Amino acid sequence: MKTFKLTALSFLMVVLTSCKISVKTLPEKTTVNSAQELHNISLNGKVFSAVWQQNAGEFRALCYQAYNLAQIRIDENLKIASTKPLAIITDIDETFLDNSPYAVTEAELGKDYDAKTWMNWTAKGEAKAYPGSLNFFNYAASKKVPVFYISNRDENDRIGTLKNLKDLGFPNADNEHLLLKSTTSDKEARRSEVLKNYNVIIYMGDNLADFSKMFNKKSQAERNELVDENYSEFGKRFIMLPNSGYGDWESALNGYNHQLTPAEKDQVFLKNLRGY
Ligand SMILES: [Mg+2]
């Protein structure tokens, strides 16, 4: 019994110490305007998504599932003759870099994405990799299949992004293979550049627009119809990674209006919810 008490006490102390450390590392909630904001669906949604992304075994399993499938597709394609060298195109954020710490810190401040604070985060180059991603991309490299990183991070993020990729050990972490946003978030022109010289066998992303321009700026209903029409591409040419925290699905619901306040977004979300 004494051993149990001591063990329980030690456990409690560890928990309290952990709590103290974790609370200390969070920024002060200086910009939360009202209690209402703390109960805001969009901001709390970011936090809930981050809790899942950072803790759920199910999240990890989905990542492994996607990367295992992608590896199967590489092996299949290596057996088929190609006139051009093979390549992979991948998105970065929430496709293999985990930015949930950024979402948590922003939500703690009562804020959603903001270009300036986003740059502060990317400049650190400290995002962790999605489970299975590093092994997969290095497997591709071992088979002489290069990866092109097509991301809507912009040029201000280049140094931090390359540092992040290099520190984690991702292949092709150089300027030639990192195609960032310059004038448009539409990735089609950058995909076309790669396609001039390569046979792109897999597209990887967490957002439909990472795969094809057909998904760009479509309404929520159109996006879902297109996904249904193209269902056979998913798990084949298109490999989708999990991201419930943000994406064009959210923008589509909001009519691609990026000026909405969190409270206004809530109204849209509530209109698009089904109960029973
Ligand atoms: Mg992404």
Side-chain angles (χ1 to χ4, degrees):
M1 181 57 86
K2 190 179 176 187
T3 308
F4 171 75
K5 276 184 180 169
L6 274 174
T7 307
L9 185 61
S10 307
F11 176 72
L12 185 62
M13 285 180 72
V14 168
V15 169
L16 288 173
T17 309
S18 312
C19 289
K20 196 177 171 193
I21 290 167
S22 104
V23 168
K24 259 185 161 179
T25 59
L26 291 173
E28 289 180 27
K29 297 172 186 172
T30 51
T31 58
V32 175
N33 294 321
S34 66
Q36 182 60 39
E37 276 198 1
L38 286 171
H39 297 286
N40 183 273
I41 296 171
S42 58
L43 294 183
N44 278 354
K46 307 286 178 192
V47 176
F48 193 85
S49 290
V51 172
W52 182 69
Q53 197 160 317
Q54 294 179 8
N55 296 280
E58 289 81 356
F59 167 78
R60 304 182 71 79
L62 281 170
C63 295
Y64 286 123
Q65 181 170 273
Y67 283 111
N68 286 344
L69 252 178
Q71 187 164 320
I72 290 170
R73 299 306 173 210
I74 285 188
D75 291 340
E76 283 176 353
N77 277 282
L78 284 170
K79 294 174 190 161
I80 303 169
S82 174
T83 52
K84 290 179 183 175
L86 307 187
I88 294 167
I89 286 180
T90 185
D91 170 57
I92 293 180
D93 296 311
E94 272 49 53
T95 293
F96 68 88
L97 283 189
D98 176 357
N99 298 290
S100 57
Y102 170 77
V104 170
T105 297
E106 286 296 287
E108 282 289 322
L109 295 166
K111 288 161 53 177
D112 200 337
Y113 168 86
D114 169 80
K116 185 168 180 297
T117 53
W118 172 250
M119 206 172 77
N120 293 341
W121 160 249
T122 60
K124 289 177 182 290
E126 292 175 355
K128 292 189 167 67
Y130 267 24
S133 59
L134 187 61
N135 279 349
F136 167 73
F137 287 115
N138 280 312
Y139 177 79
S142 77
K143 299 293 179 185
K144 306 280 186 274
V145 179
V147 54
F148 287 86
Y149 303 97
I150 299 186
S151 165
N152 282 341
R153 289 185 174 203
D154 66 27
E155 287 299 333
N156 293 320
D157 302 312
R158 181 174 288 276
I159 292 171
T161 303
L162 284 175
K163 173 187 181 298
N164 208 157
L165 298 190
K166 284 177 186 166
D167 287 354
L168 289 169
F170 279 86
N172 305 118
D174 53 44
N175 286 325
E176 183 196 341
H177 293 84
L178 179 61
L179 287 73
L180 300 174
K181 179 173 75 174
S182 52
T183 54
T184 175
S185 57
D186 181 352
K187 294 182 168 180
E188 190 67 8
R190 284 170 278 166
R191 281 192 289 261
S192 298
E193 275 303 306
V194 177
L195 285 163
K196 281 180 187 169
N197 299 315
Y198 292 91
N199 174 12
V200 177
I201 53 173
I202 308 171
Y203 296 83
M204 312 197 64
D206 65 304
N207 198 36
L208 291 171
D210 294 329
F211 304 131
S212 163
K213 68 176 179 183
M214 70 178 156
F215 299 110
N216 288 356
K217 298 282 191 276
K218 292 290 185 348
S219 71
Q220 178 249 24
E222 289 168 327
R223 299 176 93 244
N224 289 341
E225 281 167 20
L226 283 167
V227 168
D228 291 347
E229 284 169 18
N230 293 278
Y231 73 94
S232 61
E233 293 282 27
F234 296 97
K236 290 184 182 167
R237 250 183 355 127
F238 301 161
I239 305 290
M240 179 64 84
L241 277 299
N243 174 15
S244 64
Y246 65 90
D248 281 354
W249 61 269
E250 194 182 2
S251 306
L253 279 177
N254 293 323
Y256 295 93
N257 180 351
H258 298 292
Q259 307 304 317
L260 295 183
T261 64
E264 287 169 332
K265 281 186 188 174
D266 275 11
Q267 292 307 309
V268 178
F269 291 151
L270 289 170
K271 280 182 193 160
N272 285 280
L273 275 180
R274 282 190 303 272
Y276 75 97

